[in-house]
Amino acid sequence: MRAAPGRNARANGGKTAMKIAAWPRGTAIIACLSAALLALPAAAQEAPDETVAAGCEGPCTITGGAYVLRLPEGAGPHPAIMLLHNAGETADAVATSPLVEEVMLPAGFAVIVPQGLPQRFSGDVEAPGWRLAGTETGGRDDLTFLDIVLTDASAKHGIDRDRVLLTGHGLGASLVWEAACFDPEVASAFAPRDGGFWGDLPEGCAAPVRLMHIHAPTADGWPLTEAADGAEGAASQQPIQAHLALAREANGCGESRPLETTLPAGHDALTWDSCESPSDLQLVLHQSAGSTTEVVIRHLLDWFAAGTTTN
């Protein structure tokens, strides 16, 4: 496993780089998501199906868990997108979604979807999720698990370890932010979608990264410009504006400016100038109430591909 800057700080509970509020053991990870979890179809809260995915006969089982792999047509090594599911979702459902079938695979990307382990949420709801800094759920170190997944996929299934885009939605986006800040060598670029750090922000990040944050200001969850208090027993969700300031500092970026794109009406984008090469920082705003649209994903893939061909 490759050593990564910032991992010691994370292993020590973030004492050198992160302010973490004490959580009583057994407290819900995300109390404010409990209603959404209860509203999920029962199938979404069950274990992943034994679906045959290209590259493995069913989920790829490795030390610490499993992941679903979808391979595009043609010979590898393939660039890859690692998708981190939201609370209550399963890797199998995400790996067979229309965006994977109709956008990511046809674009030539392998799709890797790790399976989160059961976490205890408020209302005594148990559902697949991720272990995050600032919580005391115990269990698997999910940042280390991402590295194990990618090491396995590159060794056995023709994945180009130097062309990996890590993205996730909601709770998955929280883990993407942690990876970008604490373990920046795990992927080539990072794209958290409608989610951020759980609780207080780190005091600093390990290294510059390529990062695009995708956000729906109208969606429930992390606010864009003002801090929101969580439900009882939950940490506050710091605004995405503060997240981007953290990334700007780590990347050594200058001022932000509007970015001209081919995104349709209802989408806006900002970029930051003079970031330390080869880092990058962008914000894409959309109005789709928390669901990431096809046009946004195509914009993300174009951004990722441009960076991997020029750097």
Side-chain angles (χ1 to χ4, degrees):
M1 188 179 303
R2 298 183 301 174
R7 179 162 288 177
N8 289 338
R10 175 169 58 81
N12 292 330
K15 293 179 181 178
T16 62
M18 188 156 191
K19 303 174 182 176
I20 296 179
W23 279 55
R25 202 169 287 276
T27 300
I29 300 177
I30 302 184
C32 63
L33 285 183
S34 60
L37 287 169
L38 291 171
L40 286 171
Q45 299 189 35
E46 295 173 355
D49 296 333
E50 294 295 315
T51 298
V52 175
C56 296
E57 295 182 358
C60 304
T61 303
I62 57 173
T63 301
Y67 65 95
V68 175
L69 174 67
R70 303 289 308 278
L71 292 176
E73 294 182 358
H78 302 289
I81 301 171
M82 176 178 273
L83 300 173
L84 302 185
H85 62 72
N86 198 358
E89 295 180 339
T90 65
D92 188 75
V94 172
T96 55
S97 68
L99 285 175
V100 170
E101 299 281 359
E102 300 169 13
V103 181
M104 298 177 187
L105 291 173
F109 286 87
V111 176
I112 304 169
V113 191
Q115 178 59 53
L117 295 181
Q119 302 283 341
R120 185 69 62 181
F121 295 89
S122 62
D124 204 32
V125 175
E126 188 175 271
W130 307 104
R131 175 184 173 188
L132 301 173
T135 67
E136 294 186 6
T137 56
R140 184 177 71 192
D141 180 337
D142 280 320
L143 279 186
T144 296
F145 183 65
L146 300 186
D147 198 22
I148 294 172
V149 169
L150 288 168
T151 299
D152 185 80
S154 62
K156 298 177 181 178
H157 305 293
I159 301 304
D160 186 344
R161 192 67 173 80
D162 294 324
R163 291 187 294 164
V164 175
L165 170 63
L166 179 62
T167 183
H169 181 258
L171 187 65
S174 299
L175 193 58
V176 173
W177 268 106
E178 289 192 10
C181 191
F182 302 141
D183 200 357
E185 290 189 357
V186 74
S188 312
F190 304 85
R193 296 176 284 124
D194 298 310
F197 283 103
W198 185 248
D200 292 342
L201 298 182
E203 294 178 356
C205 293
V209 295
R210 297 188 68 224
L211 187 143
M212 176 188 292
H213 183 92
I214 299 169
H215 196 71
T218 58
D220 293 335
W222 282 259
L224 181 61
T225 59
E226 296 181 2
D229 293 330
E232 183 178 355
S236 62
Q237 294 170 327
Q238 298 302 312
I240 295 305
Q241 185 180 57
H243 287 66
L244 295 169
L246 179 70
R248 174 189 174 186
E249 181 180 2
N251 287 2
C253 300
E255 298 299 321
S256 64
R257 60 176 173 82
L259 177 65
E260 292 186 8
T261 71
T262 58
L263 292 169
H267 299 76
D268 293 291
L270 290 177
T271 188
W272 276 257
D273 291 325
S274 305
C275 297
E276 180 179 333
S277 180
S279 70
D280 191 11
L281 182 59
Q282 286 192 22
L283 168 67
V284 173
L285 300 175
H286 62 103
Q287 303 293 333
S288 50
S291 62
T292 310
T293 63
E294 178 179 335
V295 294
V296 170
I297 292 298
R298 291 191 184 278
H299 174 76
L300 171 62
L301 298 187
D302 289 344
W303 169 82
F304 176 68
T308 56
T309 57
T310 58
N311 293 332

